[in-house]
Amino acid sequence: MSDKKPTISTIAKITGLSLATVSRALAGAPSVLAPTRDKVLLVAKQLNYVRDRAAVRLKTGKTCVVAFLMNRWDANQPAFKDLLLGVSDALRDTDYHMIVLPESVEGDRLETLRYVVDRGLADAMVITHTTPQDTRVRYLMERNFAFCTHGRTRLLDDGLARDPFGHAHSFVDFANEQYAQASVEALVARGRKKLAILLPREGGTFRMHLLEGFMQACEQAKVEGVTAANLDMDGSSEHIYTWATKKAKQYDGLVVTRESPLMALMGGLGDAGLMLGRELDVVTKYSTSTPMYLRQPLLGCFEDIEMTGRTIAQRLLHQLDPTHHASPSTYLFAPPLIKEIYDYS
C-alpha cells in the first residue's frame, strides 16, 4: 500500500467527479446533491483524507471557521449546550469547525465581534440575544460578513436584500409571539382571568415579541393581562423564589418564558400555599426534560434548541457556498401545541 497522502485529486479519480465538485462537497456546500456529497465523504473516510486547512486558507483566503459569540447570560440556560451541539453537528461533515468566544463584559457588544472580523479569525459568525436595532447586525451587514442570528431584529435598511417579512439579514428564531398567544388561550380555556407574563430583562427582541403576543391575546380574550412587576426572569434563583412567595397569589395564570428559573418559581409557589391546577395554572416554554421531573401539572410548549442550532449552521453554509446568490435565508419555528408536560396516566 502506498504511503502517499491522499488528495482531492485522489478522491476525484475514485469517484469520477470533477475536482470542483469534490472540493464543494468536502466544504459542505449546499449546492452539492446529498448522494454526491455522501459518495465523496465515504471515499474520503476510507482514504483517511484530511484536508490541509493551512493550504486551504493560503489558496482561498478562508479560515474554515465559524465563530459563535456567546452571550454570558447563556451560561445559565440549560439548553445552551444543545444549541452549540446543533451548530457543531451540522458542520461536522464539512470543512468548517466552530470556535466559541464569550462577548465582552464591559457593555460594548461590538468588541469581541470586531476582534474576530478585523483579525480574519472566522469566515462566518453566529450571534444571539438580538435587539430591535442591533448594532452587531448592522456592523456585519456593512462589512458583508456572513452571519446568522438566533433571534430577529427590526432593522429595515434601504438598499439591502430583505426576506418576505422585511428582515434584512439571515436569522433563525422561535415564534415567541405565537407561544405567548397560545399560552393565554390555554389559560383562558381553563377559566383563568387574571394573567401575568414573567419576562426576561428588557432590551431584547425576544422579550418584545413575547409581550406583544401576550397583550394582544389578553385583549382579544377580554381578560386581565399584565407584566409581572419587579421580576426579572434572568435574575437569581432567590429573586425568582421571593417574587413567587410574595406576588404570585395576585394571579390565577402565569406565562413563563424561561426554563432555568422554573425550580425556584415552583418552590416559591408551593411555599406560598399555591397549588397548581387549583389556585393557578402555569404555562412554560422548555427545551430540556427538566420540567417533567418537577411532578407538577405544568402546561408546556417544547422548543427544539438543537434543531435550531442545526438550522443556523445550514443558513451559514448557504451563505458560504460560492454558488449561492439568493437573498438572506430565514427560518421561524412555529410553537407546538401546549399540553400538560407531566403525564399522570
Side-chain angles (χ1 to χ4, degrees):
M1 180 181 291
S2 173
D3 292 330
K4 187 176 180 181
K5 184 179 179 181
T7 65
I8 290 180
S9 298
T10 311
I11 299 173
K13 183 176 180 179
I14 294 174
T15 60
L17 300 168
S18 69
L19 289 173
T21 299
V22 171
S23 180
R24 289 199 300 272
L26 291 171
S31 59
V32 179
L33 296 176
T36 302
R37 181 177 62 253
D38 293 343
K39 182 179 181 180
V40 170
L41 294 176
L42 177 61
V43 172
K45 184 176 181 179
Q46 292 172 341
L47 294 173
N48 293 319
Y49 170 79
V50 178
R51 208 166 188 195
D52 188 335
R53 293 186 183 275
V56 170
R57 180 160 191 173
L58 186 63
K59 181 178 179 180
T60 66
K62 292 185 176 181
T63 65
C64 293
V65 171
V66 170
F68 191 112
L69 267 61
M70 184 189 78
N71 186 286
R72 290 173 183 268
W73 291 98
D74 284 331
N76 297 321
Q77 302 307 317
F80 176 62
K81 64 177 178 57
D82 295 323
L83 184 64
L84 291 180
L85 288 173
V87 174
S88 179
D89 287 348
L91 297 176
R92 182 174 54 195
D93 292 330
T94 75
D95 255 0
Y96 289 91
H97 69 281
M98 179 179 64
I99 60 172
V100 180
L101 300 171
E103 287 191 296
S104 171
V105 297
E106 302 300 327
D108 182 3
R109 301 198 81 188
L110 290 179
E111 182 179 341
T112 305
L113 186 145
R114 286 197 193 99
Y115 182 86
V116 173
V117 174
D118 293 347
R119 289 165 176 76
L121 300 181
D123 299 327
M125 194 173 300
V126 180
I127 55 178
T128 64
H129 292 260
T130 52
T131 61
Q133 300 296 319
D134 203 301
T135 56
R136 301 168 303 165
V137 170
R138 195 181 297 276
Y139 176 92
L140 292 170
M141 290 171 66
E142 289 173 350
R143 283 151 184 79
N144 197 30
F145 192 91
F147 73 98
C148 184
T149 64
H150 180 207
R152 287 163 281 172
T153 68
R154 293 192 171 177
L155 290 169
L156 295 173
D157 293 333
D158 292 338
L160 294 172
R162 305 182 188 185
D163 64 80
F165 301 100
H167 300 279
H169 63 85
S170 292
F171 71 80
V172 176
D173 200 10
F174 186 80
N176 287 293
E177 59 273 49
Q178 294 178 27
Y179 159 69
Q181 291 168 0
S183 296
V184 171
E185 292 168 2
L187 291 170
V188 170
R190 293 192 170 213
R192 304 308 184 182
K193 299 180 179 179
K194 195 169 184 180
L195 314 183
I197 186 168
L198 283 55
L199 293 167
R201 70 190 193 282
E202 294 186 6
T205 318
F206 162 67
R207 186 184 194 276
M208 183 182 300
H209 288 149
L210 287 165
L211 184 57
E212 289 174 349
F214 175 79
M215 297 307 295
Q216 181 179 2
C218 287
E219 183 178 350
Q220 290 175 346
K222 294 180 172 55
V223 296
E224 182 180 346
V226 299
T227 301
N230 302 315
L231 177 68
D232 176 5
M233 290 297 278
D234 289 317
S236 67
S237 295
E238 181 64 25
H239 168 70
I240 305 297
Y241 172 84
T242 301
W243 180 89
T245 57
K246 296 182 177 180
K247 303 292 184 181
K249 61 184 66 177
Q250 302 176 42
Y251 313 105
D252 60 13
L254 302 179
V255 177
V256 179
T257 54
R258 283 234 192 273
E259 179 181 359
S260 52
L262 204 53
M263 189 170 296
L265 179 68
M266 292 297 101
L269 294 177
D271 288 351
L274 299 172
M275 183 177 292
L276 268 62
R278 190 173 68 185
E279 285 85 12
L280 83 167
D281 283 302
V282 174
V283 184
T284 184
K285 186 174 68 165
Y286 65 102
S287 303
T288 71
S289 60
T290 300
M292 293 181 60
Y293 300 103
L294 294 176
R295 299 294 192 265
Q296 294 289 332
L298 286 163
L299 299 172
C301 174
F302 181 71
E303 179 180 4
D304 192 335
I305 293 295
E306 186 172 357
M307 181 58 68
T308 298
R310 287 179 178 272
T311 307
I312 288 172
Q314 291 164 1
R315 265 53 192 172
L316 286 177
L317 290 172
H318 274 285
Q319 292 183 55
L320 294 167
D321 181 358
T323 65
H324 174 69
H325 300 292
S327 59
S329 177
T330 66
Y331 196 91
L332 188 64
F333 284 99
L337 292 176
I338 291 174
K339 58 183 181 180
E340 283 201 9
I341 297 173
Y342 180 63
D343 185 0
Y344 289 88
S345 61

